[in-house]
Amino acid sequence: MANLTTRFFGLELKTPVIIGSSGLSNSVEKIRLLAQSGAGAIVLKSVFEEEIVNEYKTEFQKQSDDQSNLEFLDYFDYEIKNDRVKNYLDLIQGVKKAGINIPLIASINCASGNEWAFFAKRLAESGADALELNLFLLPSDLNRSAEQVHNYYITTINKVLDTVSVPVTVKLSPYFADLARFIKELSETRLAGITLFNRFYNVDIDLDTRQIVPANVLSHPTEYLQPLRWVGIVSGHVSCDIAASTGIHDYQTALKMIMAGASAVQVVSGVYKHGYDVVKHMVHGMDKWLDQNGIASVSELIGCAGSAKVKNPAMYERVQFMKYFGEFDQSVD
Ligand SMILES: Cc1cc2nc3c(=O)[nH]c(=O)nc-3n(C[C@H](O)[C@H](O)[C@H](O)COP(=O)(O)O)c2cc1C
């Protein structure tokens, strides 16, 4: 059997297959099954500040006629926050008490600068082995410059890094004008790792109602090509570990991500679509492939096809199809 151990989040993982943040791990029993299937670590569902704010607003509307309730609302805000943190604490302690030996990574998504540090501190105290910042800002604000977006990321990350001592990682979106340079800059903070990429909720338009509707909650296996390219581009040029995420549904794709430069892969949609066995197949498939190719450990493979190692790194940056269009010939009816 090949050695599948790897490092990510500053932690040693038994396998490179991380279960990404989602409802897949919201109970001790589910975490047990994922660990038994061979997952190397689990990122828990994010605590969303927005959710807490919405709950608070609902209560605020109920109470707003009565000014004397302002003190109660302060208390309520505190209570909801504590409630969310307590859920994490209960889940993490439940896993440890059940003797399930797998690193658990807490995840947060905050909308306002001040709340990041609050939640980071409380979740780190809850016993999580590391912290993933589900940090994204869709650059849709017509008045916010790229520099302001950058500053928001850097300030938030430094604030969290100054607050906690557990390893901190960030899951990024691909929406940056200077993506490669920015990933490099982030890797030079004290982050333990960066995950490329988060996948957003998509919208579509219903032709009949002409209304916006949600689209494709789960990823398609072809979506791995975007993170593959960017993991490959930054591989060997950054100062922290990189994990790949989005569209990783089988062991072949996981191996490609590792060859591009990822120390680990995050998987969500594949498990939602095909169950826990996907994790088993990925782990067994990687093991078998390594054995068949005479490779003793997964760590030997990391980055072997990244831009710092391949003969023609410019392939990662090729975006125009001149040559391929010229030769492309397929008859159509
Ligand atoms: C149902 C569902 C819930 C998710 N919840 C979260 C979440 O709470 N926090 C987060 O950072 N990402 C969340 N994600 C995003 C995933 O962690 C992952 O980044 C994304 O789905 C891409 O990976 P995949 O192609 O393997 O699904 C969620 C994804 C799905 C499908």
Side-chain angles (χ1 to χ4, degrees):
M1 179 161 176
N3 178 358
L4 294 182
T5 57
T6 188
R7 285 192 73 77
F8 191 68
F9 301 109
L11 308 169
E12 186 164 292
L13 313 187
K14 283 183 190 154
T15 77
V17 182
I18 298 171
I19 306 304
S21 178
S22 63
L24 285 168
S25 54
N26 60 11
S27 73
V28 174
E29 203 37 45
K30 287 181 187 173
I31 291 175
R32 184 200 304 282
L33 290 170
L34 289 166
Q36 281 169 353
S37 304
I42 294 174
V43 187
L44 301 174
K45 177 100 189 130
S46 303
V47 171
F48 285 97
E49 185 199 348
E50 196 185 355
E51 223 170 61
I52 294 169
V53 169
N54 285 345
E55 208 173 313
Y56 178 78
K57 278 186 189 154
T58 312
E59 190 62 26
F60 187 82
Q61 263 154 14
K62 274 198 234 151
Q63 309 273 341
S64 58
D65 293 343
D66 183 355
Q67 289 297 308
S68 66
N69 280 337
L70 284 180
E71 209 172 297
F72 169 78
L73 286 167
D74 248 7
Y75 173 75
F76 186 73
D77 176 36
Y78 180 79
E79 274 298 291
I80 313 173
K81 285 183 193 166
N82 275 321
D83 194 42
R84 292 301 152 90
V85 174
K86 189 172 174 306
N87 288 347
Y88 252 78
L89 186 77
D90 290 348
L91 184 58
I92 292 170
Q93 284 186 348
V95 172
K96 309 249 157 153
K97 224 183 263 169
I100 306 165
N101 184 18
I102 189 164
L104 295 179
I105 292 89
S107 167
I108 40 174
N109 171 269
C110 295
S112 61
N114 290 338
E115 296 294 337
W116 284 100
F118 171 86
F119 283 106
K121 185 162 187 296
R122 296 298 310 276
L123 294 188
E125 285 166 2
S126 74
D129 297 290
L131 198 57
E132 180 178 270
L133 309 182
N134 171 12
L135 181 53
F136 67 87
L137 211 56
L138 193 71
S140 56
D141 185 334
L142 299 173
N143 299 310
R144 191 189 282 131
S145 70
E147 196 187 352
Q148 285 171 309
V149 174
H150 280 196
N151 287 344
Y152 174 74
Y153 276 80
I154 296 287
T155 311
T156 305
I157 288 168
N158 281 328
K159 205 178 271 178
V160 172
L161 287 168
D162 288 343
T163 310
V164 301
S165 53
V166 294
V168 178
T169 73
V170 64
K171 186 162 67 165
L172 283 188
S173 87
Y175 302 119
F176 294 93
D178 55 351
L179 184 55
R181 192 210 61 79
F182 190 54
I183 293 170
K184 185 170 181 320
E185 182 180 344
L186 289 181
S187 81
E188 287 159 2
T189 62
R190 287 156 286 145
L191 281 174
I194 299 175
T195 296
L196 307 175
F197 294 110
N198 203 348
R199 179 179 184 275
F200 295 125
Y201 169 88
N202 288 308
V203 291
D204 199 353
I205 293 179
D206 182 315
L207 280 181
D208 296 324
T209 63
R210 297 179 213 167
Q211 295 297 310
I212 296 175
V213 290
N216 300 340
V217 175
L218 302 178
S219 68
H220 187 270
T222 53
E223 290 180 45
Y224 81 88
L225 292 169
Q226 187 189 44
L228 182 80
R229 161 175 285 190
W230 288 97
V231 170
I233 286 176
V234 300
S235 173
H237 303 290
V238 287
S239 312
C240 70
D241 292 332
I242 297 289
S245 161
T246 297
I248 305 162
H249 292 223
D250 53 34
Y251 81 87
Q252 292 94 332
T253 307
L255 283 169
K256 289 178 193 180
M257 292 296 189
I258 289 167
M259 289 179 190
S263 315
V265 296
Q266 293 203 6
V267 185
V268 172
S269 294
V271 184
Y272 271 116
K273 282 186 182 171
H274 308 295
Y276 300 117
D277 276 355
V278 164
V279 182
K280 231 181 252 173
H281 290 148
M282 284 176 92
V283 172
H284 288 164
M286 274 193 238
D287 183 30
K288 205 167 154 199
W289 188 94
L290 288 166
D291 274 348
Q292 281 169 350
N293 287 275
I295 299 169
S297 80
V298 93
S299 58
E300 290 176 40
L301 220 54
I302 298 173
C304 69
S307 64
K309 293 272 175 69
V310 286
K311 278 193 205 117
N312 187 4
M315 280 289 282
Y316 275 116
E317 287 160 42
R318 177 177 277 278
V319 284
Q320 304 293 352
F321 275 88
M322 284 169 305
K323 177 163 173 267
Y324 299 98
F325 277 154
E327 289 167 2
F328 192 73
D329 183 22
Q330 181 174 303
S331 56
V332 285
D333 295 332

